[in-house]
Amino acid sequence: MRPQDLRTAGLPAAAVALGVFTAVRGIGALVVAAAAWWAGRSPVRVLGHSWDSVWYLAIARHGYGRTQMWPGPVTGLVQSDYAFFPLYPVLVRLAGGGEWGALVVAWTAAAVAAVGVYRVGELVAGRRVGVLLVALWAVVPHAVVLSLAYTEPLLVALAAWSLYALLRGRWMWAAGLAVAAGLTRPTGIAVAAAVSVTALHAVLVRRSRGPGVWAAGLLAPAGWLAYVAAVGVRRGDPGGYFTVQQHWGSRFDWGRATRITVWRVLTGEPVPLATTVSAAVLGVALLLAGRLLLERPPLPLLVYTAVLLVITLGGAGYFESKPRFLLPAFPLLLPAAAAMAKARPRTAVAVTAVLAGLSYGYGVYLLVIARMPP
């Protein structure tokens, strides 16, 4: 069946995209669960109670206020739960506050995100590219995160639908979703940037005068700013949120730490497999960014992707998580999806299947074998 025949066959392309995503990520979750069971670990705890998920569950159950200290010359970290934004824990609490509730919220958000990613791809490049965009997004190396009790699925759901609303000229919908994205993750500011910059462009270049444009541009960053301000008030320090991040070892150093780690990989220093894969993912992301720029995407996609790249590449911290931070940057995959759309359907299916297999293997390696946070 050709993708252009999907509607005539009674299958809307959005449903096909969602079906592809559900099948790919559903199998991925089963593979990780089976590997965890084989290793004598609880599949539910591996998927729903590991690393950052532990912090989210604690916030959902008990609220904020937890601090964990790691004394010593090697670590010296003071980790506060104020580093985690509140929307996902609130939703988890509404879903029961346990591992299954956290997974249900994340999986539901991932499904909503898949449809949103499809809609953006369809609007920009057509139905076939939209379906393939979802397929590629589901099989990137760190796509296992979309099966975990993490915030990336929720952020992508809000970001994709905000960008879609923005592309359709629905300013207040775009701004409202940007506010929610800003309450989800630090990188949610990329959604607000897309809305505010596009609104500014509409006012200055297109001479838009509608009150909705102004309101959307000003409202979009409100969620992110509100949480940062709240942490500052709670800690009695206007820059309290950024102090919390520094205590976690996260800061913006203009890419110095990233360059040092990538250089170690390129010069053949012994590093974990996850470090090598992460460096390779960043390299591919830069190549895709260059290709995307040449194709002159709509301004909202360009701003959103650029901000995510700057935050990811310019920040210091746990290097192996950088590909996860780029997981919401789905517009980077548009050039690859467009290229696959020109190939035969069998070729596109084969490429997706191979990439899915590699993604499954890497997910098992991270979560079960190496037990490293993604």
Side-chain angles (χ1 to χ4, degrees), residues 19 21 27 151 236 294 357:
F21 176 83
I27 294 173
T151 53
L294 290 175

Side-chain angles (χ1 to χ4, degrees), residues 65-84:
R66 175 188 175 195
T67 299
Q68 184 168 307
M69 300 183 182
W70 300 89
V74 178
T75 54
L77 299 179
V78 180
Q79 297 175 330
S80 167
D81 57 9
Y82 286 119
F84 299 93

Side-chain angles (χ1 to χ4, degrees), residues 95-262:
E99 287 90 349
W100 274 113
L103 288 172
V104 167
V105 171
W107 291 348
T108 302
V112 174
V115 179
V117 169
Y118 164 75
R119 287 298 185 192
V120 172
E122 176 195 40
L123 192 60
V124 172
R127 293 197 299 271
R128 187 170 186 177
V129 172
V131 172
L132 291 170
L133 179 64
V134 173
L136 287 175
W137 181 61
V139 299
V140 295
H142 278 65
V144 67
V145 174
L146 299 174
S147 301
L148 305 182
Y150 268 52
T151 53
E152 275 75 15
L154 180 59
L155 176 61
V156 180
L158 295 167
W161 284 104
S162 178
L163 292 171
Y164 179 74
L166 200 55
L167 292 170
R168 296 292 300 270
R170 297 172 180 172
W171 291 99
M172 296 311 296
W173 273 106
L177 292 167
V179 170
L183 291 169
T184 302
R185 283 192 57 77
T187 48
I189 193 64
V191 188
V195 176
S196 296
V197 172
T198 304
L200 184 63
H201 178 269
V203 171
L204 296 181
V205 178
R206 294 166 49 194
R207 304 296 181 182
S208 298
R209 292 292 183 265
V213 179
W214 285 97
L218 294 172
L219 177 65
W224 190 90
L225 292 173
Y227 181 69
V228 171
V231 174
V233 171
R234 188 68 179 268
R235 294 177 62 90
D237 173 12
Y241 172 76
F242 302 101
T243 302
V244 168
Q245 288 289 0
Q246 289 175 1
H247 288 167
W248 272 80
S250 299
R251 65 190 186 282
F252 193 82
D253 68 349
W254 303 96
R256 181 176 181 274
T258 301
R259 293 193 301 270
I260 291 174
T261 304
V262 170

Side-chain angles (χ1 to χ4, degrees), residues 51 150 272-275 318 320 362 365-374:
W51 300 293
Y150 268 52
L273 174 61
T275 305
Y318 184 60
E320 288 74 16
Y362 189 61
Y365 166 77
L366 280 179
L367 301 181
V368 181
I369 298 174
R371 298 194 181 188
M372 297 178 64

Side-chain angles (χ1 to χ4, degrees), residues 251-351:
R251 65 190 186 282
F252 193 82
D253 68 349
W254 303 96
R256 181 176 181 274
T258 301
R259 293 193 301 270
I260 291 174
T261 304
V262 170
W263 180 250
R264 291 175 57 205
V265 173
L266 293 176
T267 55
E269 289 190 32
V271 295
L273 174 61
T275 305
T276 302
V277 172
S278 297
V281 169
L282 295 184
V284 172
L286 286 175
L287 292 175
L288 290 173
R291 181 62 184 176
L292 181 66
L293 187 60
L294 290 175
E295 295 186 0
R296 302 178 66 181
L299 181 61
L301 302 188
L302 182 61
V303 173
Y304 170 72
T305 305
V307 173
L308 286 175
L309 280 169
V310 169
I311 293 174
T312 301
L313 298 176
Y318 184 60
F319 180 82
E320 288 74 16
S321 286
K322 289 185 179 296
R324 171 166 67 87
F325 298 159
L326 284 180
L327 192 59
F330 64 90
L332 286 174
L333 300 171
L334 275 168
M340 286 179 61
K342 299 175 183 178
R344 294 180 178 179
R346 291 181 180 179
T347 301
V349 171
V351 170

